[in-house]
């Protein structure tokens, strides 16, 4: 049995007009709710249609007599015993429900017929002793309890005993009898023995009907055992295979068994003390809601159906009576009656999300929503606050006349229709439920959850009243939400919340969001990304002297204030202080933390004065270029670009060599943005020292020529363009006029040969540099690598057979390339090189490679 979720206790108040009885046309199409019609007072208001036998054979049917119960046929055949789900106690006859219900009014003919069949008390007592009591006691003491006929007869005898005691006026203490013989415990034990993978008999149906009868007749017998009973029934019924997987002849049994749970749950609520109704509904709905979130679609559908049936019961049994009472006493000093459902907000949030589909679960959820809408819209007319009335008036077009048509609309429209009748605590629960539904592991529709949150974003002052609690909900779920649409919705919600935060809430968030918490850093990444929210956070810090001083009492590793200041364009020199303290952030093990620090530095480095100060942490920024996180590398490149652009040339020359060496490996980074920015920065560094032409930098620039040549063919146009421009600057730095001309005119096919002709001493280096491109992810670069290696073999100073074999061995790896063009070109190149080798050695060599 799944553990029920920890509920958030919320109040649900019902007040309003008298509710008319539900018409027969509104009855449930699956048979869970029969049409309302007058019945005798002892009959149950809500039956299950669970019995497969005709009414005249039922022990609870009108006109049945105890004599029929004591007949041999009744004792020997369980089939003769009928479903007692419609049974109720005399207490039910005198309840407000019985007084106000048409079922409480029987015809004179029926009354006379019932009276004529009353037995003498002595005869009834003897009947009980000889049949039901004796059999029940013998069954409980016996050892053969698993025989199907005996189990069914055991349940039937319990129902017969309850009926006889309640209707014929026997003096038997049923509570003591149930406790002595442990009837409830025996029923639970039998339910738990039922197989989970099949439904072969009516036992489960009969067991739930018997539990309902016990609840109606002797509710004290179930005291303290209802939860265990419900869980036993849930386990026994909800996890059965879907009806579509069973033979068609058995599907009716499935429907009847499922429907038998509804009157049992209703009986639990109806027969508990008035003060406990709220708790009983809460206990039932909590577990049903947990089951409704199951990844098993069959379990989910069955749980949602039970919620829908329970909502119909609440509407028909409680609301009209409470509304009638409140209408009668509205002018008196008596307190209006109230019904509390603490889990209502969480329940509505779930139903909003799942109601937007077209499957059976969505349709059932919408039916439940329609009933809850009738309940709260009628029941809260006298309880609306001014802001609720204003919201309801704003969305008047979505009221009663339109709500049934919203079945084809989005959850946001349904939420708006409900919104004017929901208290703040319930609106909060809806938001928190939607946040949980955004998690990657959630089975709920992410679009539906986003739609619910869109409702809150449209009117944040009405929906987002408890900012700290919602922020905590985001913090708890952020690490498990990665879907793009869900993150966008979450970011929008976070920004709205930040706008609504008070200075005190900002302070608390700053103080209790340690940088080591990746989730908190993710939240701050969003907050600091938007100027309006960043300004609000900084103003709260800067305008209040105690808040400014507060940061000094907190260690730098747990204070976000400095990072927030970095992202403000106009941070004063005094506030900026010594950037050395940033070293701990730049070396932090969390990539989110490093990213946050570099993002702040990229903004601060736009100021020439601050850019010069940042040079003190350049070694740490250079180390960030080797980070495995592409976002961190990209932010580091942006900071370095700003620094190099805003410092004097003399100062730039000091770090040019070290920076250039760090940039070369990034030319082949998997991220096209990193490739582009690293090449652009390399160009800027080369231009910065162009006039100085430092000898130490020449070797690095030489090493950049071949990678830039290859990247001129990059599939990313921006990378290819940046590579060509950088190659022009590199050629100018090395005073290579022909190479510069070819790069400027984009004569890519001639650049490779130009490099080999003019750099004869570097052919071996070029051969080594080109080999990794044989494994590049881009086909065009692998093709160019094969061509260049074949060309370099001609210009190699070492034309020995050993060297030729080495080059051929390198090319053979491309003979297994996934692209036929690469394989074919590699084979042709190998053939040419092998032919040259044969001519040189004078020996013939058989070719092994083909396209």
């Amino acid at each position: 049995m799944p553990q029920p979720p920890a509920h958030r206790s919320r109040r649900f108040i019902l007040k309003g007009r008298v509710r008319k009885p539900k018409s027969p046309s509104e009855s449930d199409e699956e048979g869970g709710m029969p049409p309302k019609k007058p019945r005798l007072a002892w009959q149950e208001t809500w039956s299950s249609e669970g019995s497969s036998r005709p009414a005249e054979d039922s022990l609870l049917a009108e006109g049945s007599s105890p004599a029929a119960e004591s007949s041999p046929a009744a004792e020997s055949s369980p089939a003769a015993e009928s479903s007692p789900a419609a049974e109720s106690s005399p207490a039910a006859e005198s309840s407000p429900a019985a007084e106000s219900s048409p079922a409480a009014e029987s015809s004179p003919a029926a009354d006379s017929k019932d009276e004529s069949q009353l037995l003498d008390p002595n005869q009834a007592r003897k009947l009980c002793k000889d049949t039901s009591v004796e059999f029940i006691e013998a069954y409980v003491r016996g050892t053969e309890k698993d025989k199907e006929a005996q189990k069914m007869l055991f349940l039937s005898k319990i129902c017969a005993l309850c009926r006889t005691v309640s209707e014929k006026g026997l003096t038997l203490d049923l509570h003591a009898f149930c406790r002595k013989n442990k009837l409830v415990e025996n029923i639970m034990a039998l339910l738990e023995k039922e197989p989970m993978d099949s439904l072969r008999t009516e036992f489960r149906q009969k067991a739930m009907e018997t539990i309902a009868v016990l609840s109606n007749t002797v509710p004290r017998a179930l005291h303290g055992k209802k939860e265990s009973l419900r869980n036993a029934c849930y386990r026994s019924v909800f996890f059965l295979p879907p009806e579509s997987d069973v033979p068609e002849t058995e599907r009716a049994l499935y429907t009847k068994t499922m429907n038998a749970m509804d009157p049992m749950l209703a009986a639990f609520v109806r027969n508990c003390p008035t003060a406990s109704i709220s708790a009983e509904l809460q206990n039932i709905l909590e577990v049903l809601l947990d089951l409704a979130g199951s990844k098993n679609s069959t379990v989910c559908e069955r749980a949602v159906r039970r919620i829908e049936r329970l909502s119909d019961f609440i509407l028909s049994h409680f609301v009209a009576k409470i509304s009638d009472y409140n209408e009668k006493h509205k002018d008196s000093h008596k307190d209006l009656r109230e019904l509390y459902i603490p889990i209502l907000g969480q329940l509505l949030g779930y139903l909003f999300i799942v109601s937007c589909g077209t499957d059976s679960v969505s349709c059932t959820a919408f039916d439940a929503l329609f009933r809850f809408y009738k309940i709260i819209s009628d029941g809260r007319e006298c309880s609306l606050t001014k802001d609720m009335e204003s919201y309801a008036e704003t969305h008047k077009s979505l009221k009663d006349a339109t709500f049934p048509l919203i079945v084809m609309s989005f959850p946001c429209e349904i939420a708006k229709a409900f919104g004017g009748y929901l208290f703040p605590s319930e609106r909060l629960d809806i938001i928190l439920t939607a946040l949980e539904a955004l998690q990657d592991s959630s089975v709920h529709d992410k679009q539906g959850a986003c739609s619910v949150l869109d409702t809150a974003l449209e009117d944040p002052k009405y929906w987002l009243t408890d900012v700290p609690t919602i922020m905590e909900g985001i913090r708890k779920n952020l690490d498990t939400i990665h879907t793009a649409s869900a993150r966008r919705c979450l970011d929008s919600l976070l920004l709205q919340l930040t706008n609504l935060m008070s200075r005190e809430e900002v302070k608390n968030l700053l103080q209790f969001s340690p940088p080591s918490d990746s989730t908190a850093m993710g939240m701050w990444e969003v907050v600091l990304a938007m100027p309006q929210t960043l300004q609000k956070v900084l103003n709260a810090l800067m305008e209040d002297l105690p808040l400014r001083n507060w940061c000094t009492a907190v260690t730098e590793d747990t204070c976000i204030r400095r990072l927030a200041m970095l992202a403000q364009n106009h941070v004063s020199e005094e506030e900026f202080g010594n950037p050395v303290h940033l070293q701990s952030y730049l070396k932090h093990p969390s990539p989110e933390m490093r990213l946050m620090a570099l993002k702040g530095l990229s903004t601060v480095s736009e100021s020439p004065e601050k850019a010069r100060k940042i040079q003190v942490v350049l070694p740490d920024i250079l180390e960030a270029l080797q980070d495995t996180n592409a976002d961190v590398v990209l932010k580091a490149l942006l900071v370095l670009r700003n620094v190099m652009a805003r410092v004097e040339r003399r100062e730039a020359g000091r770090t040019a060599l070290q920076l250039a060496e760090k940039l070369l490996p990034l030319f082949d980074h998997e991220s096209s943005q990193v490739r582009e920015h690293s090449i652009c920065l390399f160009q800027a560094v080369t231009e910065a020292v162009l006039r100085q032409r430092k000898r130490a930098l020449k070797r690095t620039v030489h090493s950049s020529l071949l990678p830039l040549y290859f990247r001129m063919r990059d599939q990313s146009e921006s990378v290819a363009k940046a590579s060509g421009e950088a190659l022009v600057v590199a050629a100018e730095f090395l005073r290579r006029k022909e190479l510069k001309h070819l790069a400027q005119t984009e004569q890519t096919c001639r650049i490779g040969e130009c490099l080999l002709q003019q750099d004869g001493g570097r052919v071996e280096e070029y051969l080594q540099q080109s080999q990794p491109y044989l494994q590049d992810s881009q086909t065009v670069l692998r093709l160019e690598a094969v061509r260049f290696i074949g060309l370099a073999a001609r210009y190699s100073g070492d034309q020995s057979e050993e060297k030729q074999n080495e080059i051929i061995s390198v090319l053979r790896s491309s003979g297994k390339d996934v692209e036929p063009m690469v394989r074919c070109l590699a084979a042709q190149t190998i053939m040419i090189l092998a032919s040259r080798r044969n001519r040189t050695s004078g020996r013939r060599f058989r070719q092994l490679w083909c396209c």
Side-chain angles (χ1 to χ4, degrees):
M1 189 67 202
Q3 291 297 323
H7 67 274
R8 298 178 288 273
S9 181
R10 304 285 179 247
R11 189 173 72 171
F12 171 42
I13 305 177
L14 296 176
K15 299 186 180 75
R17 300 189 297 270
V18 178
R19 167 80 42 202
K20 294 182 180 180
K22 189 176 179 181
S23 64
S25 62
E26 294 175 299
S27 63
D28 181 72
E29 61 184 8
E30 292 187 13
M33 279 290 293
K36 301 291 189 298
K37 60 182 180 180
R39 298 184 177 216
L40 296 182
W42 56 266
Q43 287 183 298
E44 179 58 77
T45 306
W46 191 28
S47 67
S48 70
E49 296 187 15
S51 176
S52 60
R53 290 162 290 282
E56 59 267 24
D57 293 335
S58 174
L59 289 172
L60 302 183
E62 298 178 33
S64 63
S65 66
E69 302 168 25
S70 60
S71 65
E75 295 186 24
S76 60
S77 173
E81 304 290 347
S82 72
S83 168
E87 189 86 5
S88 69
S89 66
E93 299 179 32
S94 60
S95 66
E99 292 173 2
S100 61
S101 170
E105 302 174 8
S106 60
S107 64
D111 289 340
S112 62
K113 181 178 179 181
D114 188 57
E115 290 173 3
S116 65
Q117 294 176 345
L118 289 176
L119 293 179
D120 179 85
N122 292 328
Q123 292 178 330
R125 191 177 297 108
K126 183 176 184 301
L127 173 67
C128 285
K129 183 176 184 302
D130 293 343
T131 58
S132 300
V133 172
E134 191 175 83
F135 178 85
I136 292 171
E137 290 178 339
Y139 179 83
V140 169
R141 291 193 304 267
T143 57
E144 298 183 358
K145 296 182 180 181
D146 295 332
K147 291 184 178 180
E148 197 64 31
Q150 294 296 308
K151 291 193 298 184
M152 294 295 290
L153 192 56
F154 171 61
L155 297 176
S156 296
K157 291 298 185 181
I158 294 175
C159 294
L161 178 61
C162 290
R163 178 180 180 276
T164 304
V165 170
S166 61
E167 288 189 12
K168 307 307 178 182
L170 295 182
T171 59
L172 178 65
D173 186 348
L174 270 181
H175 177 245
F177 180 79
C178 292
R179 183 176 58 184
K180 175 185 175 183
N181 292 281
K182 296 184 178 180
L183 297 190
V184 175
E185 290 83 349
N186 274 282
I187 294 174
M188 273 195 291
L190 292 173
L191 275 172
E192 290 172 352
K193 289 182 179 180
E194 288 293 294
M196 297 280 290
D197 58 350
S198 63
L199 179 67
R200 296 188 295 268
T201 69
E202 297 181 358
F203 175 76
R204 277 172 260 222
Q205 172 192 345
K206 184 76 173 179
M208 288 185 286
E209 291 171 350
T210 304
I211 294 169
V213 170
L214 284 171
S215 179
N216 290 329
T217 308
V218 54
R220 281 200 304 158
L222 273 60
H223 182 68
K225 303 182 179 104
K226 287 183 182 179
E227 182 178 358
S228 298
L229 275 172
R230 283 195 303 266
N231 290 342
C233 293
Y234 293 156
R235 285 192 296 267
S236 181
V237 172
F238 278 14
F239 296 94
L240 287 170
E243 294 180 44
S244 58
D245 292 351
V246 301
E248 190 170 350
T249 55
E250 298 179 14
R251 292 181 185 177
L253 178 59
Y254 266 77
T255 300
K256 292 176 181 178
T257 302
M258 297 301 163
N259 290 339
M261 184 174 290
D262 301 326
M264 181 192 74
L265 296 177
F268 284 175
V269 178
R270 182 190 298 107
N271 297 306
C272 69
T274 304
S276 303
I277 289 176
S278 172
E280 189 65 33
L281 284 171
Q282 174 81 1
N283 293 337
I284 293 173
L285 287 171
E286 271 187 338
V287 184
L288 288 178
L289 188 56
D290 188 56
L291 290 165
S294 171
K295 294 183 179 180
N296 185 322
S297 59
T298 302
V299 174
C300 174
E301 182 178 2
R302 289 166 179 168
V304 174
R305 171 59 66 183
R306 305 289 72 77
I307 293 173
E308 186 267 335
R309 292 288 80 206
L310 198 59
S311 70
D312 188 69
F313 167 71
I314 296 170
L315 182 63
S316 62
H317 185 78
F318 285 111
V319 176
K321 297 159 187 59
I322 292 177
S323 299
D324 183 48
Y325 177 89
N326 293 337
E327 188 71 21
K328 289 180 181 179
H329 301 285
K330 63 180 180 180
D331 297 327
S332 67
H333 296 291
K334 293 185 176 180
D335 293 333
L336 298 179
R337 290 187 178 180
E338 298 176 346
L339 176 66
Y340 300 95
I341 304 182
I343 204 173
L344 179 68
Q346 191 177 347
L347 177 63
L348 289 178
Y350 169 82
L351 295 176
F352 289 165
I353 294 169
V354 301
S355 65
C356 61
T358 56
D359 57 6
S360 59
V361 174
S362 301
C363 295
T364 305
F366 187 82
D367 289 342
L369 279 173
F370 180 73
R371 290 180 173 85
F372 279 118
Y373 182 77
K374 300 294 288 183
I375 290 170
I376 68 171
S377 61
D378 289 349
R380 292 186 175 178
E381 289 185 350
C382 301
S383 305
L384 301 182
T385 61
K386 289 184 179 180
D387 62 333
M388 293 167 69
E389 290 178 351
S390 175
Y391 189 90
E393 183 64 27
T394 303
H395 300 88
K396 190 174 182 180
S397 60
L398 296 173
K399 288 190 69 175
D400 303 76
T402 309
F403 182 78
L405 303 178
I406 301 180
V407 68
M408 300 305 294
S409 302
F410 291 104
C412 61
E413 296 178 354
I414 302 177
K416 290 174 188 175
F418 273 85
Y421 303 99
L422 298 174
F423 297 125
S425 58
E426 293 164 347
R427 301 196 293 268
L428 172 63
D429 277 352
I430 290 172
I431 299 300
L432 297 178
T433 300
L435 286 174
E436 292 173 1
L438 291 178
Q439 296 182 69
D440 298 340
S441 59
S442 171
V443 298
H444 302 312
D445 179 29
K446 305 297 185 293
Q447 193 59 40
C450 289
S451 182
V452 172
L453 293 176
D454 287 342
T455 302
L457 292 172
E458 288 184 21
D459 198 339
K461 290 185 178 179
Y462 182 74
W463 284 88
L464 307 179
T465 55
D466 192 345
V467 174
T469 302
I470 300 176
M471 289 289 274
E472 179 63 18
I474 293 176
R475 192 194 68 78
K476 287 182 178 179
N477 294 291
L478 190 61
D479 273 349
T480 59
I481 300 175
H482 298 96
T483 307
S485 60
R487 286 306 293 257
R488 286 194 296 270
C489 180
L490 203 61
D491 291 350
S492 300
L493 178 63
L494 186 56
L495 292 174
Q496 282 284 8
L497 290 169
T498 308
N499 285 329
L500 296 172
M501 289 170 68
S502 66
R503 180 182 288 107
E504 189 65 26
E505 289 167 342
V506 171
K507 173 184 173 181
N508 290 337
L509 187 61
L510 289 170
Q511 189 172 7
F512 298 110
S513 294
S516 57
D517 183 349
S518 61
T519 302
M521 294 311 306
M523 293 170 63
W524 279 106
E525 172 72 15
V526 176
V527 171
L528 299 183
M530 301 301 292
Q532 65 270 26
T533 54
L534 172 60
Q535 191 67 35
K536 179 181 180 68
V537 172
L538 294 178
N539 287 342
L541 289 170
M542 302 303 177
E543 293 175 2
D544 195 308
L545 183 60
L547 278 180
R548 294 177 64 182
N549 296 335
W550 155 78
C551 188
T552 60
V554 184
T555 62
E556 290 179 351
D557 285 340
T558 58
C559 179
I560 204 78
R561 175 175 176 263
R562 290 186 182 274
L563 294 180
M565 289 170 55
L566 287 175
Q568 190 182 38
N569 291 325
H570 54 275
V571 177
S572 66
E573 293 293 327
E574 178 184 356
E575 289 292 343
F576 181 64
N578 189 343
V580 172
H581 68 270
L582 293 174
Q583 290 178 338
S584 61
Y585 296 124
L586 293 171
K587 296 178 179 180
H588 199 278
S590 168
E592 290 84 1
M593 186 63 197
R594 300 194 296 274
L595 184 63
M596 178 68 74
L598 288 166
K599 181 175 181 179
L601 285 173
S602 67
T603 304
V604 172
S605 60
E606 294 177 2
S607 165
E609 295 79 9
K610 299 183 183 69
R612 283 193 293 271
K613 283 192 173 185
I614 289 175
Q615 291 184 80
V616 71
V617 290
L618 273 182
D620 299 291
I621 300 176
L622 289 173
E623 287 300 317
L625 294 178
Q626 302 178 33
D627 203 285
T628 56
N629 186 298
D631 292 331
V632 172
V633 176
L634 190 59
K635 289 294 181 185
L637 289 170
L638 293 175
V639 174
L640 291 168
R641 183 193 64 184
N642 289 344
V643 171
M644 295 300 295
R646 286 165 177 78
V647 298
E648 297 178 359
R649 290 185 181 274
R650 182 169 53 84
E651 294 175 336
R654 298 173 183 172
T655 57
L657 177 60
Q658 188 179 6
L659 177 55
E661 291 176 347
K662 295 283 187 181
L663 291 174
L664 284 182
L666 300 180
F667 291 1
D668 300 320
H669 198 278
E670 60 181 8
S671 168
S672 62
Q673 285 186 301
V674 171
R675 293 199 300 271
E676 178 187 353
H677 283 81
S678 62
I679 291 171
C680 289
L681 182 56
F682 183 85
Q683 177 186 343
V685 170
T686 307
E687 287 177 330
V689 294
L690 190 60
R691 293 181 181 178
Q692 300 176 26
R693 286 186 171 83
K694 290 182 175 292
R695 182 177 300 178
L697 189 59
K698 284 186 178 181
R699 180 172 180 81
T700 303
V701 175
H702 268 296
S703 299
S704 72
L705 297 180
L706 190 65
L708 291 175
Y709 158 62
F710 275 110
R711 285 300 163 188
M712 286 182 69
R713 296 179 178 273
D714 198 288
Q715 291 177 346
S716 171
E717 293 182 6
S718 60
V719 173
K721 182 180 178 182
S723 300
E725 294 174 353
L727 187 57
V728 170
V729 174
E732 184 179 356
F733 181 90
L734 297 173
R735 298 176 180 177
R736 304 277 291 274
K737 293 183 179 180
E738 183 181 359
L739 178 61
K740 178 180 178 181
H741 172 72
L742 293 175
Q744 286 176 328
T745 55
E746 298 183 0
Q747 299 182 53
T748 314
C749 294
R750 295 182 56 191
I751 290 176
E753 189 168 3
C754 178
L755 290 174
L756 294 169
Q757 286 176 346
Q758 296 185 1
D759 285 331
R762 295 182 179 276
V763 173
E764 294 301 323
E765 180 184 343
Y766 289 151
L767 278 170
Q768 293 295 324
Q769 278 187 289
S770 59
Q771 290 180 23
Y773 290 97
L774 294 173
Q775 310 299 327
D776 197 273
S777 60
Q778 298 183 31
T779 302
V780 66
L781 293 185
R782 298 199 302 275
L783 281 169
E784 189 59 35
V786 173
R787 290 193 189 100
F788 184 82
I789 291 173
L791 187 63
R794 293 169 49 192
Y795 288 91
S796 175
D798 185 358
Q799 296 292 326
S800 65
E801 182 179 351
E802 182 181 355
K803 183 63 178 180
Q804 295 295 310
N805 287 338
E806 182 183 336
I807 296 174
I808 290 173
S809 176
V810 169
L811 290 173
R812 279 177 178 166
S813 63
S814 297
K816 300 178 182 179
D817 197 279
V818 294
E819 287 292 332
M821 293 177 59
V822 177
R823 296 198 302 268
C824 186
L825 181 61
Q828 292 174 358
T829 305
I830 291 173
M831 185 180 297
I832 293 172
L833 293 176
S835 176
R836 289 181 58 206
R837 181 192 59 188
N838 290 339
R839 289 198 301 270
T840 302
S841 63
R843 292 182 287 111
R844 301 182 63 183
F845 185 79
R846 182 179 179 182
Q847 302 299 313
L848 301 176
W849 290 91
C850 61
C851 295

